[in-house]
Amino acid sequence: MCLGLPMTIVETDGITALCEYGNERRSVSVMLLSDASVGAKVLVHIDTAVRLLDENEARLISEALDGLEASLNGQDCDRFFADLIGHEPQLPEHLR
């Protein structure tokens, strides 16, 4: 399974960018993005920034990844998915 990481652009030349997530720094391609400026949050998949993220979306993805890590370590992970607890999944209208 491949996951995209929410990373922050630390520096960029418009073609590649040095991005960080936690303690990890990685050089990634930003050629798919029109506005990849320093400080922007991006979703990185296979060393390529595939889209810009807003602060809230980047936070939610980070929390979900932290929750997966907690679950893999046998720890309680409910607090990482607080936005999902108590919500019944809803089918899109075209599937009802």
Side-chain angles (χ1 to χ4, degrees):
M1 173 174 43
C2 296
L3 297 174
L5 294 177
M7 302 187 87
T8 303
I9 296 176
V10 177
E11 57 186 64
T12 184
D13 61 11
I15 296 172
T16 61
L18 179 63
C19 296
E20 65 181 8
Y21 175 72
N23 294 327
E24 179 180 353
R25 283 190 165 205
R26 180 182 296 188
S27 179
V28 304
S29 169
V30 291
M31 293 181 64
L32 295 177
L33 306 178
S34 61
D35 183 28
S37 56
V38 171
K41 305 284 187 192
V42 292
L43 185 63
V44 176
H45 182 72
I46 312 174
D47 290 336
T48 302
V50 294
R51 70 181 176 93
L52 294 170
L53 300 171
D54 64 36
E55 292 286 333
N56 186 55
E57 188 175 20
R59 179 185 55 78
L60 289 172
I61 294 169
S62 290
E63 288 175 359
L65 292 171
D66 291 344
L68 289 173
E69 183 178 8
S71 178
L72 289 170
N73 292 322
Q75 301 167 345
D76 178 51
C77 61
D78 284 355
R79 66 185 173 96
F80 297 105
F81 301 101
D83 61 318
L84 301 176
I85 294 174
H87 291 89
E88 196 63 34
Q90 299 296 315
L91 287 174
E93 188 65 37
H94 69 281
L95 295 177
R96 292 183 193 164

